[in-house]
Every structure is written in structure tokens, then in C-alpha cells.
Amino acid sequence: MRLEARTRRSRAALLLAPFAAIAFTLAVTMALVAWAGSPIGETYALLFAGGFGSRFAWTETLTRATPLVFTGLSVAIAFRARLWNIGAEGQLYAGALAAVAVGGLHGGTGFDLPAGVLFPAMLGASVLAGAILLLVPTFLRTRFGVDEVVTTLLLNFIVLLAVSMLLDGPMKDPAALGWPQSVALRDDLQLDKLVPRTRVHTGLVYAIVAAAILAFVVRATTLGFEMRAVGANARAAAFAGVPVARTMALVAVISGGLAGLAGAIEVAGRTGYVTLDMSPGYGYSGIVIAMLAGLSPLGVVAAAVFIAGVLVGADSMSRGVAVPTYIADVIVAVSLVSMLVATLFVRYRVRLR
Amino acid sequence: MTASGRGAEADAVLRLSGISKRFGAVVANDAISLELGRGEILALLGENGAGKSTLVSILFGHYVADAGTIEAFGKPLPPGDPAAALAVGIGMVHQHFTLADNLTVQDNVVLGTEPLWAPASRRAAARAKLVATAERFGLAVDPDARVATLSVGERQRVEILKALYRDARVLILDEPTSVLTPQEAAALFSTLARLCADGLSIIFISHKLTEVLRVSDRIAVLRAGKLVATLDAATAQSSELAEQMVGRAVRKPVARDHRRGDTVCAVSRVRVDAGSGALHDVTLALRAGEIVGIAGVSGNGQQALADVLCGLRAPDAGTVTLAGHAMRADPRAWIDAGVARIPEDRHAVGVIGDFAVWENAVAERYRRPFSSAGIVRRTAARKYARTLVDRFDVRGGGIDTPARALSGGNVQKLILGRALTGGFAQGDDFTPVLIVANQPTWGLDIGAVAYVHQRLLDASARGAAVLLISDDLDEILAIADRIAVMHGGRLSRARPAGEWTRAAIGLAMTGAEVAADAA
């Protein structure tokens, strides 16, 4: 058996790949559901009803999707340029912390600035924090050839430990009864609810606008041309006069910035403060989402909603049948592997003998 | 070359019947039947992509044919089994050598012939056999030399020795002269004659007409996967072969009266430190309306020179000026100054394979003139690409086809068009100041070669200075006005083409003349 490169790749196959991957994933996880001793049909029905079956389910899914759109975009834009940013998780926490540092109540009071000034400053700080966190590995890569997969991945743990230290130290909320959580964000910096009496907030709008802007940048601008060129063939891009290192740095700023923004929006829209468990792996799920979306910014929105639905649905499903919520993590992880294999099949055909 | 080649049918050592192989939609080999006689040199002639390499890969067991059978020495050869091919005595010398640089000649030759669980290498016996083989066929190499220290010609001898050491009776040579100087090639040809006299049979793969006519007994011409002709080398004409290869009559480029202008680009005492591909004290002046050919075996610093003149690399010492201005190592500055650049590796450096033809057409000028306020002017870019595809006859798809899907010749036309029109749809408005063409016809078919040469001649007639770097001596002799030879990172003085003989260039390619010049 061998793989043979296809001479022409079909556009339909490319569009179909994520659906095939998801179908395959659900088929695989059936075995786990059966192993847990639950009826497969009912489990999946509960899962999807929990994610998409009601108005409440939708609002919960969209709330969960908001940070996932940002991390998905962060990864998609970096991967486009072949900057393998595995550090969105750490960048998210850095962004969240920066948001609270600017907009939080330190010792009962925040910065004495109007919300109209402080809100953009807060978002700016989170973008900056995320960007710097990715710029360093990017510089190490373009300058010294250090593998950014390793550096960005390991930075996640460093950031998480630093956050842990700060939440137990200087940024700890004295009013939190000893819990390691940060000081709270000023009330007037918190995002409005999109739908009353639900948790969906205007962060979703920011996410969709970001996706639309990014889609335009990638497709129509010279920066998009440069990013795609560097990703597709850096040597040829350099020959044609594309400033490769500068493009990489810009991609790092955008990618890290988006992940940082995910943290700020999550704090301002949902939690109000930073805790060590505020992200159940949004940064890593961003990788899955970006791949499912074929690195297309608008596809990221759809993929993020799907993944969020699975995560939310699994919570309510586990209350109905005896399948643990971890099934959601399995689905997310298996769908990444399936998507990689599906993409492989779009590019290659298998020939027996 | 040898009389024994005549009785091929009676005394066939290899018999291929009806070999077919498809890769997706591409038919690489279409029902090819061939016989190889004992003591015969059979040339496989064909353009890149004609199916030569596929055919020998099937023969050697790298690929399995979709249809057809192979018989070796009267017995069927099991398909897809290189070990079986080796066992019956088929040896292959690849175009790109498969030697371990850090081992000695003897270790390379013996490697893979001894069982891994043997307690000790039988070095003495191996050495005796190696020395005997080398002596018998006049393949002089020091068995204890490390391969890294050997010249290209010597490495090729090691490769041949490797096959002979394994008792090969059929030797397949894939484009064996592509890396050799004319003198080394002549030495190879006499080695081949000795091998044949000893009863070995040889398959000689090439796309060079002259050497095929010179070295082989019979010539099998492949075109687009089909065997179109099998000719007797003694009576074949080179024009006839060329037509068979291409499938149509080939027009030779028309040379023109040349007039020299002023110096456009001056390279002065340029040094580049880059290990084996370094440049030492290279000085060269390129004048308007003149084609300067840089001859030399590739890997002698040509890439570094091209990189400097394409704005990819700053010299470590020395100066480069263009129209009197010192130049920075920034491709964009060179492009904007009107330098047309044709890189050596057209697929990996010349185009971005995943990008559409239209995106590649504007890749050098996506900022100016094909964007405004940071937005790519898509309509203008596509319109330009369309006229480019038309004027430069880029076939194999429209402007939305990924460049990856184009053939080498069409990729080269795209690069040529992009470089020579400078982003103007009406190309006559623009003449490049300087054209840097690094191996511009490597691997192209004869028709495309003539096309590229004609374009370079036309541009130089309009006043462009042309630097033509090539390891194909015929190409340089055909169109260059002045010729300089590169060896070991040093460049000889560029002299008018009329003052050179082929032999003198060949000698200079080995370093002899360059050293004399430098002294």
C-alpha cells in the first residue's frame, strides 16, 4: 500500500473533509458510548439536544463558542503562515491577566479613567500580552531556527504557573475567601448581555467581526498575500521579495493578539475575574477548530459553534445517561486526528500494491 | 560503438514487453516493448517527463507496472522487487549519487553486500575483489579515500564500481553526464566502451542528442510515455532525433548582430563565505546588450553569484553596483531597479506551487503596481496574468490553475514572462536592465529551450544585459557573447566567445585555466 499525490485536488472533497471527519469521529465514539453501557441513539440525541436543541442550549453553546472563535482564528492565521502556534492557551491566560491588570479593581478601586478610555486600553493590553508571548518564540524561530512548536507549547505551562503565582500573590482578590482568583473587573467594563437572562454576551459580536476582518485580510490584502505566500513556500516568497521575517512577526502579533483577546473577552463577558480553570483548554481546542475549518476564518466560526455545542451538550447529556462528560474531549481530540487524515486523503490517494 | 550490438534480438539480456504505468491521469509508460542485447549500449532518449525514469524504475523494481512483463537473461523478473533485480545482475547509477560522504570508497562499495550478523567484515577479500574490478575496467579510485574528498567524476566511478562489485551484467545510467565536465564525460564514455567489450549491457538515459549519438549503439526515443522510434545510432541524424523527441520540427534561436552598451552591473572583488558554495574575489562587468555566459560544473559557486545578483544575499566583501548605484541585499530593490531574475530551481523557488498562476504572475510586484492602500488589485492583476499567459504561451490551465499543476516548461514561461514584462501588460514598454538567468533551460524540452533562448536574445537585442549561468556548455556556446568559467568559487576573466574552444572551457572547468588567470 502506498500514498500517491493526487494530480488535481477536488474542491468538493476539500469542503467535504470536515464533515467526513466528524461523521467518522461520531462513529468511533459510539464504541465508547456502548462500552459505558448506554444506548447509542439516546446518548447522541441528548448530546445534540443539549448543544443545539433549545433556545437555552443555543445561548449556552454560543457563549462557549465566543472564546473558541478567537483561539480558532489565532491558530488558523498562524498555521496559514506555517507558524505552528500551539501556545494559544497560554496567550489566552496572559491576555486575561493583562485585562484584569488594566481594568480590575485593585484594593477596591481601579484606574480613575472613564470606561470609554479604559475598555479599549484593556483590550489593547490583552492583545499586547498575547502578541509578546508569541513574538518571542517567532523571533527565536526566524533568527535561530528554534522549533516554535516546542517553545509555544512549553510556554503554556510557564504562563499557567505564573498565573497561579499571581493569583495566590499580588493579584489575589482579598474578598475571595482564600480562593485563588484575581481581583474583579470594574463593572462598567463588563460586556452587555446579547440576550437578556442568558449568558451570551456582546463578545460574540466582536468574535464574528474579527473573523470577517480576518477573512478579508487573508483574501484581499497584500498582508494576506504575504502571509499565504510565506506559508505556502517561504523560499519562493523570499525570492519574490516578500519580507519573510517581518511577515512572520506580523502574523505572530495578530495570532497572539487574538488569543490574548480571547482571554480579555472571556473575563469581560463571562467570568469577571481570572481563575486557574477559566479555560478548559480553549487554546488547544482552537487547534482542532482551525483544522476543521481548513484554516478559513469564516469556517472557524462554524467549527467553533460545533465544538462548543459538543462541549455544552456533553454536560447535559451526562446528567441523562451514564456517559461521563469526558466523551466531549474524546470527540474533540478524535475529530482533530480524523480531520488530519481526511486532509491527507484530499491530497493523496491510496493505492494498494 | 561495438559490433556486438547488432544482434540484439538473438541475444537479448533484457526483454520488456508491453510495459504500462499510470500515475492518476498521467500515462507515464504506454505499452513499451524493448530489448537489450548483450554488449550493447542502448540509449533512452526523451524529454523530461517522457517516461524514461519511470521505465527504469519499473525495471529496477522501484515501481510495479500496471501491465507488461520483464524478462532478464531468459527468466521472468518478479515485479516490484529491487533485491531480485540486483540478484540477477541489474545495477543502477542514479543521477543523484547515493553514497555516504563520511565513509571510504571501500566501505561505500561493500555496504549492503555483507550479512548483518556476520561476526566481522571480510575486508581483505572485499578489497581484493574491489581492486581487481577497478583494474579490469580502468576505474581508478583510491579505496581508502573518503567519498567527501572525491570529485564528482570520481564519485560516479565509485557508483559504477558499486554496481560492478555486485556483479552487475546490466548497468543503468540515469543522466550520467549532467554533472561532469566534458573531459570527465569523455572518460566515462571510454569506461562504458570497456564495459561493453567485456560483455556488459548498458542502458544510457539522456536528453542530450550529441552524447547519445556518440556513445550508443541503438537509440530508443520516448515521447509522452510512448516508444516512438528505435534507431540505429550509426545512421541516425540529430535533427531527426530532435523531431522524434519533440514531435515537431524545432526552430533554432536566431542569433543577432550584437552591439555593446555601457556597463550596467559591476561585480567587484566579491567574496561570499558559504563553505563549499563560496565565492572568492569574483569580478565581472555586465554590459547592456550583451549575454555573458558563466560556464562551470554546478556547485562551484554559481548559486552564490546568482543569489548576490538576485538581491538574496549580501556579499561578505566587495561591492556590487547596478547602474552605478550600490545595491542592498533586498530582492524588492533589485526588482524595482529593473532586474529580471530566473532562479535555478523553478519549482521550489521560482513559483509558489499552491498559488494560482495569476498570483504567481504578480508575486514579484504584488505591492507595486498590483495593490493600492494595502489591497491587492485583483482585477488588474488577473488581467495582467491573462495577457502574460497569452503572450508567453503558458499552457496547462488558466490563470486560476495552481502553478504546481503546470509542466516545467510552462512554469519557466510563466517566470520568464513575469520577469521580462516587469508588470506591464504590454511588454514592449519594458526592457529589464539586467537579466540573471540561472540554469534557465535545465530539464526543459528542446522546444522550450529554443523559446527561452530566443527570449533572452530578444531582450539583449533591446538592450538588456544578460547573465546566463549554465552547466550546459552547448547552451553557453550557442548564445553567449562573452564567456567566463567558474571553478571552486573563482571566476575566470570573461572573454569573447570566439576566443574560447570547447576544450579550453572544459579545462578551465577543472580549475586549470582559472588558476592561471588568477596568477
Side-chain angles (χ1 to χ4, degrees), chain A residues 253-350:
Chain A
V253 167
I254 297 173
S255 171
L258 283 165
L261 212 50
I265 295 286
E266 192 64 357
V267 167
R270 195 171 64 87
T271 59
Y273 47 81
V274 180
T275 58
L276 260 184
D277 57 358
M278 69 174 276
S279 161
Y282 289 140
Y284 300 113
S285 302
I287 297 168
V288 182
I289 288 161
M291 293 311 292
L292 277 177
L295 307 186
S296 133
L298 294 179
V300 161
V301 177
V305 170
F306 169 76
I307 294 291
V310 169
L311 295 171
V312 170
D315 285 341
S316 71
M317 176 270 295
S318 70
R319 288 190 289 272
V321 290
V323 179
T325 56
Y326 294 117
I327 194 78
D329 298 326
V330 176
I331 292 176
V332 172
V334 174
S335 64
L336 174 60
V337 178
S338 314
M339 185 62 196
L340 293 177
V341 174
T343 321
L344 188 78
F345 284 144
V346 172
R347 293 172 143 244
Y348 300 89
R349 73 173 83 240
V350 179

Side-chain angles (χ1 to χ4, degrees), chain A:
Chain A
M1 196 182 95
R2 67 172 97 213
L3 289 175
E4 220 171 75
R6 289 181 195 267
T7 39
R8 61 186 60 203
R9 295 173 200 162
S10 119
R11 212 165 246 283
L14 210 59
L15 285 173
L16 217 65
F19 298 99
I22 287 164
F24 179 76
T25 304
L26 295 181
V28 167
T29 41
M30 267 181 202
L32 291 176
V33 172
W35 193 15
S38 297
I40 291 166
E42 193 192 339
T43 306
Y44 279 144
L46 279 172
L47 182 81
F48 286 103
F52 307 104
S54 63
R55 188 167 164 275
F56 173 75
W58 269 103
T59 61
E60 276 301 290
T61 295
L62 291 177
T63 308
R64 189 74 74 98
T66 302
L68 289 176
V69 171
F70 280 110
T71 55
L73 290 174
S74 161
V75 173
I77 207 75
F79 281 19
R80 261 291 161 105
R82 298 237 171 145
L83 177 67
W84 306 114
N85 176 18
I86 314 295
E89 185 78 3
Q91 291 143 24
L92 180 148
Y93 273 103
L97 219 55
V100 171
V102 171
L105 298 161
H106 307 285
T109 55
F111 288 110
D112 189 16
L113 287 166
V117 176
L118 207 53
F119 186 74
M122 173 186 81
L123 295 187
S126 69
V127 167
L128 201 65
I132 290 170
L133 213 50
L134 185 53
L135 265 175
V136 174
T138 305
F139 176 76
L140 291 176
R141 142 99 181 265
T142 48
R143 192 72 223 272
F144 302 110
V146 181
D147 190 342
E148 77 278 17
V149 172
V150 176
T151 48
T152 55
L153 176 65
L154 294 183
L155 263 176
N156 287 340
F157 299 99
I158 296 173
V159 171
L160 221 62
L161 288 169
V163 170
S164 168
M165 180 197 82
L166 288 169
L167 294 190
D168 256 325
M171 293 191 76
K172 185 172 185 171
D173 188 355
L177 306 169
W179 286 103
Q181 72 181 41
S182 80
V183 292
L185 208 60
R186 254 168 58 168
D187 277 342
D188 55 355
L189 293 180
Q190 310 231 352
L191 294 170
D192 295 329
K193 295 289 174 249
L194 211 55
V195 181
R197 289 182 307 283
T198 68
R199 300 202 299 166
V200 206
H201 50 84
T202 49
L204 182 65
V205 179
Y206 287 89
I208 290 168
V209 169
I213 292 174
L214 226 51
F216 177 78
V217 167
V218 168
R219 190 184 139 81
T221 64
T222 51
L223 175 61
F225 190 93
E226 289 166 343
M227 286 179 344
R228 289 184 294 121
V230 168
N233 182 344
R235 269 181 79 200
F239 181 82
V242 174
V244 174
R246 203 175 74 200
T247 305
M248 285 296 228
L250 264 171
V251 167
V253 167
I254 297 173
S255 171
L258 283 165
L261 212 50
I265 295 286
E266 192 64 357
V267 167
R270 195 171 64 87
T271 59
Y273 47 81
V274 180
T275 58
L276 260 184
D277 57 358
M278 69 174 276
S279 161
Y282 289 140
Y284 300 113
S285 302
I287 297 168
V288 182
I289 288 161
M291 293 311 292
L292 277 177
L295 307 186
S296 133
L298 294 179
V300 161
V301 177
V305 170
F306 169 76
I307 294 291
V310 169
L311 295 171
V312 170
D315 285 341
S316 71
M317 176 270 295
S318 70
R319 288 190 289 272
V321 290
V323 179
T325 56
Y326 294 117
I327 194 78
D329 298 326
V330 176
I331 292 176
V332 172
V334 174
S335 64
L336 174 60
V337 178
S338 314
M339 185 62 196
L340 293 177
V341 174
T343 321
L344 188 78
F345 284 144
V346 172
R347 293 172 143 244
Y348 300 89
R349 73 173 83 240
V350 179
R351 284 177 73 97
L352 299 170
R353 259 235 70 115

Side-chain angles (χ1 to χ4, degrees), chain B residues 145-226:
Chain B
R146 280 199 317 129
V147 165
T149 64
L150 299 184
S151 74
V152 179
E154 288 172 313
R155 285 178 204 213
Q156 192 172 52
R157 263 176 261 160
V158 177
E159 281 279 9
I160 295 174
L161 261 180
K162 228 167 90 176
L164 296 174
Y165 183 85
R166 288 163 170 74
D167 301 317
R169 301 305 295 161
V170 175
L171 206 56
I172 304 168
L173 299 155
D174 190 0
E175 301 273 358
T177 60
S178 62
V179 287
L180 301 183
T181 64
Q183 280 82 357
E184 284 173 325
L188 170 70
F189 296 155
S190 64
T191 302
L192 296 186
R194 282 178 89 152
L195 294 174
C196 280
D198 202 62
L200 266 82
S201 307
I202 292 166
I203 295 180
F204 184 92
I205 302 172
S206 181
H207 67 274
K208 293 183 186 163
L209 294 171
T210 44
E211 67 181 36
V212 159
L213 281 168
R214 184 169 160 201
V215 76
S216 59
D217 300 314
R218 279 193 309 144
I219 303 168
V221 185
L222 294 188
R223 184 172 77 229
K226 287 197 177 69

